Amino acid sequence: QHKMTVGMWKECWNTPNVEFHNPQLNELFVKYHQRMLTRPGMRIFVPLCGKAVEMKWLVDHGYKVVGLEVAPVPCKAFFEENGIPYNVKEMKGIHGEKYESLDQKIVIYSCDFFLFTADICGEFDGIWDCGGLNSMDVEDREAYIHRIRTLMGKGCVNLTEFVNFDKSMVDITWSMTKEELQKAFGEGFIVEDLNEMKAPQRLKSQGCDTLKLFAITRT
């Protein structure tokens, strides 16, 4: 595995037909979102969101959404492709931009994830993590999880999807188990193994084998 830098990530988004963008709702999201969405009007965080279609679904179903993305291209694309009027402001305190719908139901921050804190927008009621933890290099996972922990409010359910790669193609340490996640999140968090399914064809071609979904609850 090569270390993914911010520059490489932004470059990926500048190429047409970005392979990791799924134009359909994620199958595991469709099946398990009720585990996270336990009451109306919850605030949901989507880390390293790209232009994830789940964000639009959440807004359409009455939830408030905060996304975070390193690259500015998908932030603009999300609002423009969905026909959502928005404005852009400089973030206060850290380098980055805040893209916010005029009705204030969704905001996407374009900034460095590791500088993003609860001071910027408070703690969350739920998290849909389909591309955040999964895109981290093994040595950055602990710091990523530490940051995510600080953004989870009491009772917050974090649905985290993890891609397991074909063992013959990548280092075995890339995969993550429930035990490893539990150890990383630590006391005050419960990790459950919800599902494992075969990776869809679009991911299989990139060496993905299975998709796992975990529910991490702050107690």
Side-chain angles (χ1 to χ4, degrees):
Q1 283 290 336
H2 299 296
K3 194 165 171 67
M4 183 64 138
T5 64
V6 169
M8 284 158 67
W9 185 259
K10 288 181 176 174
E11 197 46 51
C12 282
W13 274 108
N14 285 326
T15 56
N17 308 320
V18 177
E19 280 176 349
F20 43 75
H21 173 66
N22 182 6
Q24 264 84 47
L25 277 177
N26 180 298
E27 259 185 79
L28 291 170
F29 176 85
V30 172
K31 211 167 175 181
Y32 291 99
H33 61 67
Q34 76 282 358
R35 281 298 308 270
M36 168 179 70
L37 305 173
T38 52
R39 62 181 192 279
M42 294 169 80
R43 289 177 74 240
I44 308 299
F45 181 51
V46 186
L48 291 134
C49 58
K51 49 179 187 173
V53 293
E54 292 78 25
M55 296 193 291
K56 176 78 165 65
W57 186 95
L58 287 162
V59 168
D60 289 346
H61 287 77
Y63 300 95
K64 290 207 160 78
V65 175
V66 175
L68 184 140
E69 175 52 54
V70 174
V73 171
C75 303
K76 295 187 186 99
F78 174 82
F79 289 101
E80 284 162 15
E81 289 171 16
N82 288 299
I84 300 170
Y86 70 103
N87 58 36
V88 187
K89 291 178 184 155
E90 286 295 313
M91 287 177 70
K92 293 184 177 76
I94 67 169
H95 177 67
E97 290 166 328
K98 177 183 180 181
Y99 295 76
E100 186 170 24
S101 63
L102 299 187
D103 63 10
Q104 298 182 324
K105 288 178 181 169
I106 176 161
V107 53
I108 303 177
Y109 292 95
S110 176
C111 65
D112 181 340
F113 173 80
F114 292 104
L115 299 177
F116 192 73
T117 65
D119 293 343
I120 292 169
C121 60
E123 294 177 335
F124 296 101
D125 305 315
I127 295 178
W128 169 242
D129 187 344
C130 177
L133 179 59
N134 214 59
S135 67
M136 290 293 128
D137 276 284
V138 174
E139 65 268 27
D140 295 330
R141 282 182 188 164
E142 206 173 304
Y144 177 90
I145 287 169
H146 176 74
R147 181 70 57 193
I148 284 283
R149 278 171 48 121
T150 65
L151 297 169
M152 291 173 69
K154 201 163 173 53
C156 172
V157 176
N158 170 352
L159 293 181
T160 293
E161 182 184 90
F162 209 83
V163 174
N164 289 318
F165 286 88
D166 184 330
K167 303 280 188 290
S168 64
M169 292 182 74
V170 299
D171 180 354
I172 196 161
T173 58
W174 191 257
S175 303
M176 253 193 131
T177 64
K178 175 187 157 183
E179 290 69 33
E180 286 167 328
L181 265 181
Q182 183 65 69
K183 191 169 175 239
F185 273 90
E187 215 173 308
F189 294 84
I190 296 167
V191 178
E192 296 165 81
D193 218 328
L194 289 188
N195 197 331
E196 183 165 11
M197 62 181 264
K198 287 272 174 225
Q201 200 48 50
R202 66 184 191 88
L203 292 176
K204 268 203 179 315
S205 59
Q206 295 172 54
C208 305
D209 186 28
T210 58
L211 300 177
K212 282 190 83 113
L213 187 70
F214 298 100
I216 302 137
T217 307
R218 182 178 163 194
T219 56

